[in-house]
Amino acid sequence: MTTHEGTYAFDNALRVQLQRLRALQLVLDEGTIDVLDARGVEAGWHCLEVGAGGGSIAGWLCERVGPGGVVVATDINTVFLERQAYSNLEVRVHDVQRDELPIGQFDLIHCRLLLAWLEKPHDAMKRLVTALRPGGWLVVEEMDFESLCWGPGLDEHERDLFARLVDVHNAVLIERHAFDPFYGRRVAYDMANASLVDVGAAGRVSVWQADQPGGLVWQLTLAQLREGMIETGRMTSEEIDAAITLCNGPRLSLLSPVTMAAWGRHR
């Protein structure tokens, strides 16, 4: 889930990031597994999990492919991956923007919340395609923040606060980290232009409650972006702290960003 240092906004060296990754796993893994299962992952496959973050999907793949299969899990910072204890798991430090991959080796390549952080996501996608075997699948999941909005439990002042908060959140990620908060809608297009066939895509959304993993994702995201958001001059520290406090309360709910899953097969 991480990219070039200085671009990615969330530091795997921080304890809070492990909390955030675990909350994301609880929010996203079920849908990810459904998409991967539909690609027919089976025993003996060679799989690549790029930007593997906390390693939950790499672990699921290890169990699915069994002892006759191999899962390679990569990230720039592999501190969380190294805690995984699967005999068929290989952990590699790897930057998808710079480092080469073996050609034609994998039956499945998956990445989640990775390409939107890259300056040239289509180039990275092409690099991933070259690592697929003929007939192998590429599955990419990215968020699109167009759907993010707040539920009915907030008063008018709080709704205004969160509307501005979303705008500043997006601005900080765009301006400081080259993140595209709307890349989810482009994933399938880039995949088709990468010469894959049988391309398809589907999005999923859910309601994130303050006292559930989705609310924790938002709380920990704001905590890590807090200083950058203040430095824009568009929100005060008091306003951001008030929003973080609401993330702990019973009244906050939000419609999540769309998680767009796209898939395509190598010829």
Side-chain angles (χ1 to χ4, degrees):
M1 190 177 299
T2 53
T3 65
H4 187 275
E5 292 174 343
T7 298
Y8 190 62
F10 306 105
D11 187 353
N12 276 7
L14 299 178
R15 181 181 296 273
V16 67
Q17 177 61 356
L18 178 57
Q19 292 179 276
R20 182 175 175 275
L21 288 173
R22 285 175 173 168
L24 277 169
Q25 289 169 181
L26 290 170
V27 170
L28 299 178
D29 277 6
E30 182 177 359
T32 295
I33 289 168
D34 286 345
V35 173
L36 296 178
D37 189 50
R39 308 281 77 77
V41 182
E42 59 185 40
W45 277 26
H46 286 210
C47 300
L48 174 63
E49 177 74 4
V50 185
S56 60
I57 296 301
W60 180 86
L61 287 169
C62 285
E63 294 176 0
R64 176 58 70 93
V65 304
V70 175
V71 177
V72 178
T74 72
D75 212 315
I76 284 180
N77 186 331
T78 59
V79 61
F80 302 138
L81 296 175
E82 290 163 0
R83 302 176 185 182
Q84 300 283 343
Y86 292 94
S87 61
N88 57 349
L89 176 65
E90 178 184 340
V91 175
R92 296 182 189 174
V93 175
H94 182 271
D95 184 340
V96 71
Q97 298 181 104
R98 300 181 175 188
D99 302 331
E100 295 301 318
L101 289 166
I103 296 174
Q105 182 169 319
F106 298 102
D107 301 290
L108 171 80
I109 298 175
H110 172 254
C111 60
R112 186 173 73 188
L113 311 189
L114 171 69
L115 298 186
W117 295 97
L118 307 184
E119 182 180 357
K120 297 180 178 179
H122 187 241
D123 289 350
M125 186 178 289
K126 286 183 176 179
R127 185 175 291 117
L128 297 178
V129 170
T130 64
L132 286 170
R133 291 174 174 171
W137 288 98
L138 174 64
V139 178
V140 177
E141 296 179 281
E142 295 292 341
M143 285 186 172
D144 192 309
F145 281 75
E146 182 66 29
S147 63
L148 181 60
C149 62
W150 308 101
L154 304 183
D155 62 32
E156 183 177 356
H157 171 75
E158 292 165 337
R159 290 195 298 271
D160 175 70
L161 171 67
F162 272 100
R164 291 191 296 114
L165 188 81
V166 171
D167 288 342
V168 177
H169 163 274
N170 289 348
V172 166
L173 292 180
I174 292 168
E175 295 164 10
R176 297 191 173 210
H177 303 285
F179 176 76
D180 182 353
F182 309 110
Y183 184 64
R185 69 192 65 177
R186 289 178 33 217
V187 173
Y189 176 84
D190 280 357
M191 197 167 279
N193 283 338
S195 300
L196 294 173
V197 298
D198 298 332
V199 173
R204 58 188 190 270
V205 296
S206 59
V207 175
W208 289 359
Q209 302 285 353
D211 57 349
Q212 296 176 2
L216 182 59
V217 168
W218 191 244
Q219 175 190 339
L220 297 176
T221 296
L222 293 179
Q224 291 195 71
L225 296 181
R226 180 180 182 276
E227 296 307 314
M229 294 173 72
I230 293 169
E231 289 170 7
T232 67
R234 295 169 60 184
M235 295 197 79
T236 67
S237 59
E238 291 78 13
E239 288 175 322
I240 296 172
D241 291 343
I244 292 173
T245 298
L246 279 172
C247 288
N248 290 316
R251 293 185 295 114
L252 180 66
S253 65
L254 59 101
L255 187 65
S256 74
V258 178
T259 301
M260 185 65 69
W263 54 85
R265 186 171 55 83
H266 198 293
R267 296 179 187 273

